[in-house]
Amino acid sequence: MCCSECGCYDAFCDRCCPCVSSGARDTILCCACCLAVLAGVVLLLVLLLAYCFIRHAEVAVVDASLTRLALATSPATAFAYNLSLTLTVRNRNWAMSVRNTQPLEADYSFDGQRFERVRLADEGSTHPAGKTQVHHLVSGSDGAYVALGNAGVAEFKGENKTGVFQVEVALSGEVRYQAHFTKCKFQAKCPLKLQLAPPGTPAVVFEKVKCKLAPACRGRGSEILPHF
Ligand SMILES: *[C@@H]1O[C@H](CO)[C@@H](O)[C@H](O)[C@H]1NC(C)=O
Ligand SMILES: *[C@@H]1O[C@H](CO)[C@@H](O)[C@H](O)[C@H]1NC(C)=O
């Protein structure tokens, strides 16, 4: 009955159940067949939504504190510094976990020159679907080499006068999304303005900084069909 009453069901049945004679179209069997096709289509759509469309991570620096940043110029330019950061990485996919196919690292740089490199996650580690991972990074050195050159030294002196330093935190790694074959470069840049607050001085309120992502998947993009 349901099949003969609706033209689109009829068309469905023509295609999927040609063995059933037209007289028997309104049997329960045919309706079940139509429903099965519909359910299949819905299931396929859900799986497509869950696994085909990659949503890249959301990265933010939610807290930061710079308690020391001093420059030594001899024998080479080097920073004596203490910097702690709280960084969050959110996997925005509700069904797919993300696997690190290369270690996830954070580089700190001043005026384009790197002075620290921190590992956040090892190769092979995974990030479950929908979860936010929080990284507390505490680093410090009495002499971290930084190739500032005289241009960088001038920039440091300028920022030193204001007490606010521009430090960039850059994340880099490579990931593979669950059910996908392609690997994607994972790169995020977080430009920070850090107010120097040596111990004993009032703490500085840090406003959350959202990082810019530059994802790039190797090969022919991320449109490769998943293997169910
Ligand atoms: C600052 O960094 C130095 C060198 O790594 C370390 O010895 C010292 O404990 C750190 N100070 C604080 C307050 O974290
Ligand atoms: C940075 O400023 C501090 C005081 O604000 C000063 O003692 C220090 O010499 C300055 N460093 C440089 C490299 O200008």
Side-chain angles (χ1 to χ4, degrees):
M1 257 165 276
C2 67
C3 292
S4 50
E5 267 165 24
C6 170
C8 63
Y9 279 168
D10 231 318
F12 253 126
C13 295
D14 274 334
R15 229 174 268 161
C16 72
C17 326
C19 52
V20 180
S21 73
S22 58
R25 276 279 164 82
D26 51 356
T27 59
I28 280 168
L29 185 71
C30 179
C31 288
C33 167
C34 295
L35 284 178
V37 169
L38 279 180
V41 167
V42 168
L43 182 68
L44 196 69
L45 275 178
V46 169
L47 286 172
L48 277 175
L49 278 177
Y51 290 103
C52 269
F53 302 102
I54 287 177
R55 303 188 74 197
H56 292 289
E58 198 172 79
V59 182
V61 177
V62 294
D63 196 17
S65 119
L66 181 67
T67 52
R68 177 169 70 139
L69 185 61
L71 181 67
T73 48
S74 83
T77 47
F79 279 151
Y81 79 97
N82 287 79
L83 171 60
S84 56
L85 295 178
T86 305
L87 210 135
T88 57
V89 181
R90 186 160 80 92
N91 178 0
R92 293 158 68 226
N93 298 284
W94 54 274
M96 275 189 285
S97 66
V98 183
R99 186 180 170 84
N100 287 297
T101 50
Q102 272 176 22
L104 178 63
E105 294 181 348
D107 283 1
Y108 299 174
S109 54
F110 178 85
D111 200 36
Q113 302 300 319
R114 183 169 76 191
F115 63 92
E116 175 67 286
R117 220 172 129 202
V118 189
R119 180 170 286 198
L120 306 186
D122 290 328
E123 181 180 341
S125 59
T126 54
H127 191 158
K131 290 277 185 294
T132 298
Q133 287 182 337
V134 181
H135 303 274
H136 296 288
L137 311 175
V138 179
S139 44
S141 169
D142 292 324
Y145 174 69
V146 53
L148 286 185
N150 60 11
V153 170
E155 177 63 32
F156 179 86
K157 284 186 173 158
E159 294 186 24
N160 191 37
K161 280 196 191 112
T162 66
V164 177
F165 294 94
Q166 295 182 34
V167 171
E168 187 180 78
V169 173
L171 261 63
S172 64
E174 187 191 71
V175 296
R176 201 169 68 78
Y177 291 86
Q178 188 179 15
H180 286 253
F181 303 106
T182 43
K183 292 174 179 172
C184 301
K185 283 262 172 270
F186 182 90
Q187 276 170 330
K189 289 194 163 148
C190 325
L192 306 179
K193 283 190 173 145
L194 301 170
Q195 165 107 52
L196 182 64
T201 59
V204 183
V205 178
F206 179 82
E207 269 194 39
K208 175 178 169 175
V209 170
K210 282 190 179 168
C211 305
K212 275 212 184 87
L213 233 75
C217 297
R218 204 192 286 159
R220 305 220 333 267
S222 52
E223 283 74 41
I224 303 238
L225 276 175
H227 43 251
F228 297 121

